[in-house]
DNA sequence: CTCGGATGAGACATGAATGTCTCAAAGTGG
DNA sequence: CCACTTTGAGACATTCATGTCTCATCCGAG
């Protein structure tokens, strides 16, 4: 406590451990502390030194996830400009932390913590506002409520997080898959015989992986 | 054991208990057996008489979910006719059991059971085949892999299950929300200045609920 | 080299959930 | 009305994850 340099190094350690914890907890919420410690490459004793107990660890994982998602909303500047472009930016910013989001989606009602819940509500409200704005701009459909769009969007992010962890989806395909499906849907557009459809804004790989 | 009528009544009891268990477990996978028993309206002793233990109970809940989803695939006859129509039928058939699907999505990697995994693979393969067929029919987009479409579809079903349980989505809106978003996407089609957009296939309430 | 702090390994106690048991009460069919 | 079964309530032991502790080791700083 006397040497501030130590506390600085501790911070990075904590985040490293939390990231490792997510990898285990997002798949198996009931994982023992032994597994989490092993996944983080530390001993159970050190894990207990970093976090008072299991409850605190879970709480901080959730907090980290919410902070990351909030940061994604920030970097995507979702409150500015065209809603569609904002959403595309958000996907790109959020996909790297999809595992965190998967954890949040699985445990979001497990929290009794006010701080976590408040932070959660803020982010969901920002998402909600984005879709509402998009609807007002005439960008998003109005038959689907903004609340449902928020819900579904987060479900897809979380689903991608799980799929990546289980090896069912390549990380490089994640952002494209979410964006295209969420914005355009699964249905193919056959407006005209010639296909001037969505003008492939980036030459993404269109391979169909067969697991 | 001498009276077959008793065993018959047991079967219905088991399913009743399992349904109650889903309501608790899909939200809180770590719920105690006490809560599950209370939710089912029986005592913990009877719960133990119906299921040898917690593991067996979880297993049977998963099995029930898979059977229900398989039944939905059956009633929707997903292997026949137009893929889009088949998918719409599937949504209608699967939404009532969305809670089961939510449980499956949350615990699908928690199973070491071969029977469960085999059943799971079969259903996923049927989904995959549906999307593959739709792509060959020119109905579904080919930029998105059939595997991803299967994944995302199940994610949305599960998400709806959670949202309904938490009261964030009205059950009557569930099928419409999934179908429209998954097939059509969130983006509004502005083919012409005049808006002859999707001719509101049913006068659903388009209110934007504010939680 | 020596010291201070951090870490890992392990022992230990604790508490909670689970599994098993008995017994009294209630319901059902004869 | 009686016999049988099922159920609920509770006590009880057991298992296991958690939380706390000590001690030996390692590493960097001075």
């Amino acid at each position: 406590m006397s040497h501030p340099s130590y506390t600085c190094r501790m911070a990075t350690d904590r985040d490293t451990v939390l990231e490792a914890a997510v990898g285990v907890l997002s798949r198996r919420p009931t994982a023992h502390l032994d597994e989490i410690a092993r996944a983080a490459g530390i001993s159970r004793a050190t894990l207990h030194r970093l976090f008072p107990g299991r409850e605190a660890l879970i709480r901080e994982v959730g907090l980290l996830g919410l902070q990351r998602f909030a940061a994604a909303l920030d970097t995507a500047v979702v409150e500015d400009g065209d809603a569609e472009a904002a959403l595309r930016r958000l996907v790109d910013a959020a996909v790297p932390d999809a595992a965190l989001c998967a954890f949040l989606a699985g445990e979001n009602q497990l929290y009794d913590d006010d701080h976590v819940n408040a932070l959660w509500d803020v982010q969901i409200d920002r998402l909600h506002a984005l879709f509402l704005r998009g609807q007002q701009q005439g960008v998003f459909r109005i038959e689907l409520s903004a609340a449902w769009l928020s819900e579904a969007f987060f479900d897809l992010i979380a689903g991608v997080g799980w799929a990546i962890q289980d090896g069912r989806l390549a990380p490089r395909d994640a952002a494209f898959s979410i964006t295209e499906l969420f914005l355009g849907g699964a249905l193919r557009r056959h407006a005209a015989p010639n296909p001037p459809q969505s003008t492939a804004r980036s030459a993404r790989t269109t391979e169909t992986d067969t697991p």
Side-chain angles (χ1 to χ4, degrees), chain A:
Chain A
M1 202 170 289
S2 53
H3 301 273
S5 60
Y6 291 138
T7 63
C8 284
R9 238 192 19 208
M10 295 280 289
T12 65
D13 278 341
R14 285 173 65 89
D15 278 17
T16 303
V17 171
L18 287 177
E19 301 240 25
V22 177
V24 180
L25 288 171
S26 68
R27 283 167 145 282
R28 204 135 42 83
T30 67
H32 309 324
L33 293 186
D34 290 306
E35 307 177 48
I36 299 173
R38 239 181 301 118
I42 61 177
S43 68
R44 199 164 64 94
T46 304
L47 184 62
H48 269 282
R49 288 186 188 105
L50 289 173
F51 305 96
R54 180 190 184 80
E55 194 179 4
L57 174 64
I58 301 285
R59 204 188 89 101
E60 296 227 31
V61 172
L63 233 45
L64 178 66
L66 286 170
Q67 288 166 356
R68 293 287 183 86
F69 191 65
L73 288 164
D74 289 337
T75 51
V77 280
V78 292
E79 3 270 342
D80 280 5
D82 177 61
E84 178 187 346
L87 190 106
R88 290 179 183 273
R89 291 193 301 267
L90 177 59
V91 172
D92 288 334
V95 155
D97 295 318
L100 271 305
C101 295
F103 177 80
L104 287 173
E107 313 285 293
N108 62 351
Q109 42 248 357
L110 207 107
Y111 287 114
D112 295 331
D113 188 86
D114 289 335
H115 186 193
V116 173
N117 285 329
L119 209 51
W120 173 270
D121 289 341
V122 170
Q123 313 316 321
I124 292 299
D125 282 349
R126 293 176 73 183
L127 249 191
H128 189 91
L130 167 62
F131 288 114
L132 218 52
R133 184 163 57 90
Q135 288 177 326
Q136 290 162 354
Q137 287 178 349
V139 171
F140 294 142
R141 298 167 65 182
I142 56 175
E143 314 97 274
L144 301 168
S145 75
W148 161 244
L149 291 178
S150 310
E151 180 89 25
F153 177 78
F154 204 85
D155 287 341
L156 287 183
I157 297 280
V160 157
W162 281 314
I164 289 177
Q165 284 193 329
D166 294 354
R168 296 193 302 271
L169 182 68
R172 45 175 289 117
D173 296 338
F176 175 79
S177 297
I178 289 184
T179 305
E180 285 305 310
L181 177 62
F182 184 82
L183 289 178
L187 236 43
R188 183 175 168 187
R189 312 281 155 205
H190 30 253
N194 55 348
Q197 62 208 33
S198 69
T199 58
R201 84 186 48 241
S202 67
R204 287 283 173 38
T205 63
T206 62
E207 87 255 29
T208 60
D209 52 322
T210 57

